[in-house]
Amino acid sequence: MMNLTTPALLFPATSLLLLAYTNRFLVLAQLIRNLQTQHKDDGRDLVLRQILNLRKRIVLTRHMQALGVSSFIICAISMFLIFVEQGRAAEICFGISLFLLVLSLLVSLWEITISTGAIEIGLEDMEQKLRAARAAGSTRTGPADNTSA
């Protein structure tokens, strides 16, 4: 028989998890604002790739938040069921709550994987710019100020 402290153990973890998810959402919102500013200056393929990446991440963040909140709610229901002495139903709810929490974490892992892809896109862009600058620098012939005449 499960007691009230078992599902109560999930409360701090779920609260912190939801806080982390909210933080990720705020970071995504800031990235979108920055990209919007960058898009005014530059309409290249890089911006389109970043937009597609950010759309995926927003959808995944929405799903992981929904799963986390659902886990939290069902965990609270489990605690209520223990309070009204419905042990079997409480155990089932707690199991569902754990399952939803694991799904939320898996979606978070997926979003983190996509996030690293976004970093790769940014690195590719910087690398291309550096190579172009290096190529432009190597096409010069001699120093710009020739004082030895």
Side-chain angles (χ1 to χ4, degrees), residues 18 65-76 96-97 100-101:
L18 293 175
Q65 286 176 328
L67 288 166
V69 168
S70 298
S71 172
F72 196 59
I73 290 170
I74 294 174
C75 185
I96 292 169
S97 177
L100 292 174
L101 185 60

Side-chain angles (χ1 to χ4, degrees), residues 30-87:
Q30 184 62 40
L31 286 171
I32 290 169
R33 287 186 198 101
N34 291 342
L35 190 60
Q36 195 173 25
T37 303
Q38 180 183 355
H39 180 64
K40 291 176 185 174
D41 302 333
D42 186 10
R44 294 181 303 160
D45 180 56
L46 169 74
V47 176
L48 182 60
R49 289 173 59 202
Q50 288 176 334
I51 289 170
L52 294 173
N53 187 292
L54 288 169
R55 282 186 197 267
K56 283 184 203 174
R57 291 176 63 194
I58 288 170
V59 168
L60 290 175
T61 300
R62 183 181 329 130
H63 289 309
M64 65 191 193
Q65 286 176 328
L67 288 166
V69 168
S70 298
S71 172
F72 196 59
I73 290 170
I74 294 174
C75 185
I77 291 170
S78 174
M79 290 175 68
F80 175 75
L81 290 170
I82 291 170
F83 179 72
V84 295
E85 298 181 3
Q86 297 294 316

Side-chain angles (χ1 to χ4, degrees), residues 92-113:
I92 291 169
C93 281
F94 184 64
I96 292 169
S97 177
L98 286 176
F99 179 72
L100 292 174
L101 185 60
V102 168
L103 285 178
S104 176
L105 291 169
L106 289 173
V107 173
S108 177
L109 181 62
W110 186 8
E111 192 274 334
I112 289 169
T113 302

